[in-house]
């Protein structure tokens, strides 16, 4: 780990020692400075800032994502988050995401391996910018891109159901992905599904919260399918996966 009046960085032991703190800091600042918005192959903008990938060892890469805001506020301030001057690092959303990912990986759920977090925050400041670095999952494609490229595929419903089952498993572990949609699902070559981008993940405490979160998962997925005119069988499969007992 590393900290100063302006920056805080937590790195994971899985990173090789040649990947120095300074290299990670430079990569993080580069990602924060890049304002490119994520788009599909056909040019459709899908809202949040694009991620960047950097190779750090043979056949191993970092995917670095800047934390950005959703909704209308992103047009005013896209990547600045507010906190108390006395806030500890563990209370900030990047570290909450790391905690969620580590917990879910231990439970055998398909999510990325977190490798580092970088926070840019002035001493005693009430705001910060941040990035998270996770290990790139090899040989994967976005489920959203898959739906766009293969709208008639017979694999859509089973893949969506698999994503729903993974989402249900996260709820059983007390973690609610509040922005789960096809763009946050990766498909591996063996048709395994991986859930990504747990920014803003919420931790659940009761069965009632788990039940409510289940319905919110289904509703969020449905809104995305409708908004981008994606195949309805992706909606049907996901719902079946979430609700399957």
């Amino acid at each position: 780990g590393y900290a100063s009046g302006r920056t805080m960085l937590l790195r994971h032991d899985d990173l090789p020692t040649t990947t120095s703190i300074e290299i990670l800091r430079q990569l993080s600042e580069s990602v924060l400075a890049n304002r490119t918005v994520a788009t599909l192959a056909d040019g459709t903008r899908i809202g949040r800032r694009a991620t960047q990938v950097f190779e750090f060892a043979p056949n191993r890469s970092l995917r670095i994502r800047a934390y950005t805001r959703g909704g209308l506020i992103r047009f005013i301030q896209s990547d600045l988050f507010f906190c108390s001057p006395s806030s500890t690092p563990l209370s900030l959303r990047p570290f909450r995401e790391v905690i969620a990912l580590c917990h879910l990986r231990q439970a055998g759920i398909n999510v990325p391996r977190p490798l580092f977090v970088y926070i840019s925050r002035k001493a005693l400041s009430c705001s910060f910018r941040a990035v998270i670095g996770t290990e790139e999952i090899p040989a994967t494609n976005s489920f959203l891109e898959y739906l766009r490229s293969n709208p008639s595929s017979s694999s859509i419903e089973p893949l969506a159901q698999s994503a729903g089952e993974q989402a249900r498993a996260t709820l059983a572990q007390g973690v609610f992905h509040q922005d789960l949609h096809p763009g946050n699902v990766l498909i591996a070559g063996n048709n395994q599904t991986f859930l990504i981008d747990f920014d803003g993940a919420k931790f659940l405490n009761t069965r009632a919260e788990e039940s409510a979160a289940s319905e919110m998962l289904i509703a969020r997925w449905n809104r995305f399918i409708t908004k981008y005119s994606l195949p309805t069988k992706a909606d049907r499969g996901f719902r079946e996966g979430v609700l399957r007992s």
Side-chain angles (χ1 to χ4, degrees):
Y2 164 81
S4 74
R6 185 171 185 276
T7 62
M8 292 180 286
L9 187 148
L10 172 72
R11 58 174 287 170
H12 195 284
D13 288 342
D14 283 344
L15 280 171
T17 55
T18 53
T19 310
S20 69
I21 295 290
E22 180 58 23
I23 290 173
L24 293 177
R25 187 192 69 78
Q26 291 176 5
L27 290 175
S28 298
E29 289 290 350
S30 172
V31 170
L32 286 171
N34 189 326
R35 308 245 167 204
T36 304
V37 174
T39 59
L40 301 180
D42 63 4
T44 302
R45 295 162 68 94
I46 55 174
R48 299 208 175 180
R49 200 176 300 178
T51 58
Q52 296 187 46
V53 179
F54 303 91
E55 185 174 354
F56 66 89
N59 301 315
R60 295 186 71 189
S61 298
L62 276 170
R63 179 170 290 276
I64 304 180
R65 185 185 86 245
Y67 284 86
T68 57
R69 293 180 174 276
L72 295 177
I73 195 171
R74 74 178 185 272
F75 296 109
I76 302 171
Q77 184 51 260
S78 65
D79 63 359
L80 192 65
F81 295 86
F82 298 98
C83 61
S84 165
S86 60
S87 297
T88 62
L90 290 179
S91 69
L92 303 180
R93 63 194 298 162
F95 291 96
R96 293 202 304 270
E97 180 168 7
V98 168
I99 291 169
L101 290 175
C102 289
H103 175 64
L104 294 174
R105 283 181 60 84
Q106 287 181 338
I109 297 170
N110 294 339
V111 297
R113 182 195 305 273
L115 294 180
F116 81 94
V117 164
Y118 175 82
I119 295 175
S120 177
R121 176 186 179 189
K122 295 180 180 179
L124 302 180
S125 172
C126 293
S127 62
F128 68 91
R129 290 181 170 87
V131 306
I132 184 172
T134 57
E135 184 161 5
E136 176 78 341
I137 302 168
T140 54
N141 294 300
S142 159
F143 189 35
L144 175 56
E145 292 281 16
Y146 182 88
L147 292 174
R148 287 282 193 160
S149 303
N150 306 277
S152 302
S153 172
S154 60
S155 297
I156 287 177
E157 192 162 343
L159 287 171
Q161 184 171 314
S162 174
E165 290 168 355
Q166 291 287 320
R168 186 187 73 246
T170 68
L171 296 182
Q173 292 298 319
V175 178
F176 170 36
H177 191 313
Q178 298 189 86
D179 191 32
L180 187 58
H181 54 71
N184 284 336
V185 175
L186 298 181
I187 309 299
N190 56 1
N191 282 346
Q192 275 189 304
T193 54
F194 290 79
L195 310 186
I196 64 172
D197 290 5
F198 280 77
D199 174 15
K202 180 180 179 181
F203 295 93
L204 309 174
N205 297 307
T206 67
R207 279 291 189 141
E209 287 182 341
E210 181 180 335
S211 178
S214 175
E215 293 302 320
M216 286 188 281
L217 274 173
I218 292 169
R220 174 69 183 98
W221 185 278
N222 174 263
R223 287 197 304 273
F224 195 92
I225 294 292
T226 302
K227 178 178 180 179
Y228 291 101
S229 302
L230 299 172
T232 56
K233 52 188 172 182
D235 189 37
R236 184 169 60 248
F238 182 78
R239 181 183 181 87
E240 289 174 359
V242 172
L243 297 180
R244 174 178 287 184
S245 58

